[in-house]
Amino acid sequence: MAGRVDALFFFLMAVTVFFTLLISVLVIYFAVKYRRRADTDRPRAIHGSVPLEIVWTAIPLAISMAMFVWGASLFVAMARPPEDAIEVYAVGKQWMWKVQHPDGQREINELHVPVGQPVKLKMISEDVIHAFYVPAFRIKNDVVPGRYSTVWFTATKPGTYHLFCAEYCGTSHSKMIGSVIVMEPAEFQAWLESRAEGSLALEGRKLFLKLQCVTCHSATAQARAPVLESLYRRPVQLKDGRTVVADENYLRESILSPGSKVVAGFEYIMPTFKELFDEKGQPREDDVLKLLAFIKSLRPGQTPTRVEESPPPAKLPAGESPKASEP
Amino acid sequence: MSTDHAAPAHSALRHHFDTLDQQRDASLLGMWAFLVTEVLFFGGLFLAYTIYRMSYPAAFAAGSHHLNIVLGCINTAVLIGSSLTMALAVFAAQQGNGRNVARFLLATMFLGTMFLGIKAIEWTHDYEESLIPGLAFDAKIWAHEGMPPLEAKQFAGEGELFFVLYFSMTGLHGAHMIIGMAVMAFYLRPAWHGRYSRDYYTPIEGLGLYWHFVDVVWIFLFPLFYLVGTRGSH
Amino acid sequence: MSTAAIDSPIPPAEPRFTASRVNYLNVDFGVRSWLLTTDHKRIAILYLASITLMFVLGGAFAVMIRLELMTPEGDVLQADTYNKLFTMHGIMMIFFFLIPSVPAVLGNFLVPIMIGAKDLAFPRINLLSWYLYIIGGLITFWAILAGGVDTGWTFYPPYSTRYSYSQVVATIVGLFITGFSSIFTGLNFVVTVHRMRAPGLTWFRLPLFIWAMYAASLIMLLGTPVVAITLALVAVERIVGVGIFNPALGGDPVLFQHMFWFYSHPAVYIMILPGMGVISEVVSCFSRKAIFGYHLVAFSSMAIAVLGFLVWGHHMFTSGESVYVAMIFSFLSFLVAIPSAIKVFNWTATLYKGSVLLTTPMLYAFGFIGLFTIGGLTGLMLAALGLDIHFHDTYFVVAHFHYVMVGGMVMAYMGGLHFWWPKISGRMYPEGIAKVAMVIIFVGFNMTFLPQFVLGHLGMPRRYHTYADEFQILNVMSTAGASILGAGFFIPLLYFLWSLKYSPLAGPNPWGATGLEWQTPSPPPTFNFDKPPIVTDEPYAYAPKEDARVH
């Protein structure tokens, strides 16, 4: 993708250089050739030329449209992450990047990825607007509070690349930097295992049980709340008649602000959980991401029951894998 | 600079204009241009209102219920009445009836003051009911039966947005009314002493345009804040 | 009086009239006669002095920024100080220098004269405009002294509403008031052009400077109120603590961006259109030829004003707008470039078979044409969706807008000042040293900002107090250029002042130009004309009368 961006850049650069030279040369040439020789010079009037005007309107228009189409198609491709992208979460806050891999590995200001594998970042801010920018990959997207944004890339060469925050965010904006470290797949696997912690989904499961979500979301006949199994990315019919898709923003909103989208057939009885907010009233995005990872991983029959061995299992129940969330 | 006809220039003709007609045209065009900027000025607030009403219909409907629709209706009638008296003032000016100009301007100011007085009563009620963001705002009154506390806080925040917009927009509107009335006061004396006639009544005409604009803004504010969402089930 | 050019050559240096002739400068003395003037020409001088001061202040901030950026570490200034400096550099330069510059100085001075009027439609409101500018400026200046503001001139929430500890509200109050200065100036110009043209001066006989000022004034009228109310909402949110743009309380920070850029994009056309008007006047005079394609150039000004209101979303391609919305804004952004391109071609074609004289204003005009072309074409790189992702919020954008604003607009302003200096002051400026200054400014400018395109492409983000080591050498080049540029700007300041006392007096028309402003004495009397002019000729009637119109 970066190669395509550079190709577009070279095209635009060529057009820029061409027209700059053309105009500069013409201006200088005319200024010399038609320089005033006597104070009494009275040039003939030339008021205009419709054919000429049409030509130099049409040609720039055509070139512009070509640029537009090229740029737009590139943008569309950049906005469509491939199906097999691995998902990594990033939380931006003043003035650091917190990265979480689906298997639970956490990084601060660094992102390790395997070469040749599409990576999709789901990002949110805990305070002001930031932007995730990796110049070498030609990718950038704003990281805003209150809603997820996405950016994806496929690294093609191992190495270490700059990561910059690219939306002014206060005092240490220029220090909110880090690295993207691209490794060979085997090395990356080794790195993952060396940093193994509970996977994100497992952490989410623990939180699910701790907050006693299972009291209502029990997936039994008497459940007072919707079933969460296989919910991710399914269309959901709401009480007010609308149908929405259960994407990350929907799940996050339903957890933090349950009354906003009540599901048809259920009453609005879900509380909001103080534990998910900090002292300033800001949501704890890390915890939300854990719950999200868990919900996305839930396959039919996997809702925890009320009776659970304690401590919870070190690994998720059989049949679980981080990518099982794909429909 | 002499004018084209033999008679001496009207005392109101400013030196940089050739004729009174040119001066009148320019002044009125200037007032219209100014009103266009006012449309865009209020427009930004109307845009914010529209977007947030679409996002939070329940909270905004609840907010509307807190407003006094009777007083709002009376105020609307009062303001429309003041537009009538203003139009009559312009007509009187055109007739050269200076006394009536002053009387009708006074009537307009009286009705305008009545409007502001009723608004003051409404705002006092809002203060007593703790609906003024930043000054006296009680989030607790927004909770419905059985609404969990953090949910109520969110709902109160949305209701607070309603009132921020309500006070900003009616406040801005009221400020415009006060300015208009101050300018009217300024014209009372010249009007009484016969300054305005068919030849020259531009200031009154311009003032009329301004006052009608202020009226039109209220015609939009009233339904948006007082009426939308208060009828039908909620 | 006709608008045909005077046939005589550039007049000799000795004055043709006594220095004691009464003009707008010497008709009255004393501070009150200046501070309470309603003469548009005196108000223009008041603006000239004020915006020069603002330019020096904004330039001083730039010097400190570039000083810090010579090294990758933050070793000259604290981070907070640096952030305040770039914020205030932007605010001073945009709101207190660029937006008023040509309109408030050259526009105020020339618009009535160019259309044969005695003053603007509303002279007292014109004075009020200046006072609003001064009051807004003083409040903003106070905000600087009281700690400064560090949100960036773009004031994005939630940072500006909930996280910044700086003088956000005070600065907003200052800008709000100054905004009305702009609105009233625009209103004055629009009404003046509509209602006060001399007999015979139809729309298509107007100088292109007037067309450009008119188009810019429309934008001033329609756009400025929106940013005024947007910033007011930020202030309300800060003071009252509500959540208009705060997601935790139900607000949307991206709504601010839409509302802010709805004005701030057209604002750049407020800044450049008057400059383009200047270029049209200068190029035609020093080619001694009518501008090629007059009608199209006039329509282009209007097209830029209209299209300029439709492209604001190109500042937000990475903010999460939908792909469809982004495509619409990108498409329109490419369209808005076309009228500007047409103008550049038309100016170039004007030189063809003209009689070109390389005076200082003409050199500035050439500088404008070249640098604006570069700036505009790099703007296309930013309009291209896939590419803007890489360049957004990097030094590429900084380089782009400095090319159009400094390489374009400031050069046009300087060219205009030189061109009309004889009319404004009654004196010539020293031509030799003026040309030298122009070259210094041109070289210094390119040295400062050309490296920044490369820095942006390499990935250096903007608003960075410290940066990665590999960016240093380009930054050092840029700072070196900035010192040359800064020095260059001081030279005109000095020689313009010097010329007031020591330069030869100028006659009514030292350049042999067409246009009503050259039919009055230099400096003009208070009411501009002794008798109202009557216009019978087309604009730029340089050619001998016997010439048929060639289309």
Side-chain angles (χ1 to χ4, degrees), chain B residues 46-201:
Chain B
F46 276 102
L47 175 74
Y49 172 89
T50 307
I51 292 191
Y52 286 130
R53 174 168 276 284
M54 280 167 53
S55 304
Y56 309 124
F60 271 49
S64 293
H65 272 102
H66 281 289
L67 297 177
N68 188 328
I69 206 174
V70 172
L71 289 181
C73 279
I74 294 176
N75 254 352
T76 307
V78 164
L79 202 56
I80 294 181
S82 77
S83 257
L84 174 63
T85 53
M86 186 69 226
L88 288 170
V90 176
F91 186 61
Q94 210 176 6
Q95 308 295 81
N97 189 337
R99 307 259 153 134
N100 273 357
V101 175
R103 288 187 190 114
F104 283 124
L105 282 181
L106 269 171
T108 311
M109 289 166 71
F110 173 74
L111 288 170
T113 309
M114 202 168 130
F115 178 97
L116 291 172
I118 296 176
K119 260 265 146 292
I121 294 173
E122 285 186 271
W123 283 18
T124 311
H125 282 164
D126 293 329
Y127 177 74
E128 283 158 8
E129 287 172 36
S130 296
L131 289 167
I132 305 193
L135 190 62
F137 194 82
D138 188 356
K140 290 193 279 299
I141 61 174
W142 291 83
H144 288 161
E145 283 301 310
M147 200 187 256
L150 278 159
E151 196 60 35
K153 178 165 178 260
Q154 193 129 354
F155 195 68
E158 295 162 12
E160 202 176 15
L161 262 179
F162 176 88
F163 277 101
V164 167
L165 288 165
Y166 171 74
F167 285 110
S168 302
M169 293 173 83
T170 57
L172 194 60
H173 177 257
H176 279 78
M177 284 185 64
I178 294 175
I179 293 172
M181 284 159 40
V183 175
M184 276 177 221
F186 183 72
Y187 285 128
L188 281 175
R189 207 155 170 270
W192 185 266
H193 291 288
R195 182 91 168 103
Y196 306 112
S197 65
R198 163 153 284 131
D199 284 338
Y200 175 71
Y201 62 105

Side-chain angles (χ1 to χ4, degrees), chain C residues 315-381:
Chain C
H315 298 270
M316 300 163 59
F317 286 150
T318 63
S319 296
E321 346 179 277
S322 83
V323 172
Y324 304 108
V325 165
M327 293 211 288
I328 294 174
F329 280 123
S330 171
F331 176 76
L332 288 164
S333 303
F334 278 105
L335 282 189
V336 78
I338 303 295
S340 297
I342 291 175
K343 287 195 184 196
V344 170
F345 293 134
N346 277 290
W347 290 321
T348 308
T350 306
L351 299 170
Y352 176 73
K353 291 201 172 157
S355 168
V356 177
L357 191 63
L358 289 179
T359 58
T360 306
M362 193 58 153
L363 287 180
Y364 277 113
F366 284 0
F368 177 99
I369 293 174
L371 298 176
F372 176 78
T373 301
I374 297 177
L377 288 171
T378 51
L380 291 186
M381 296 193 194

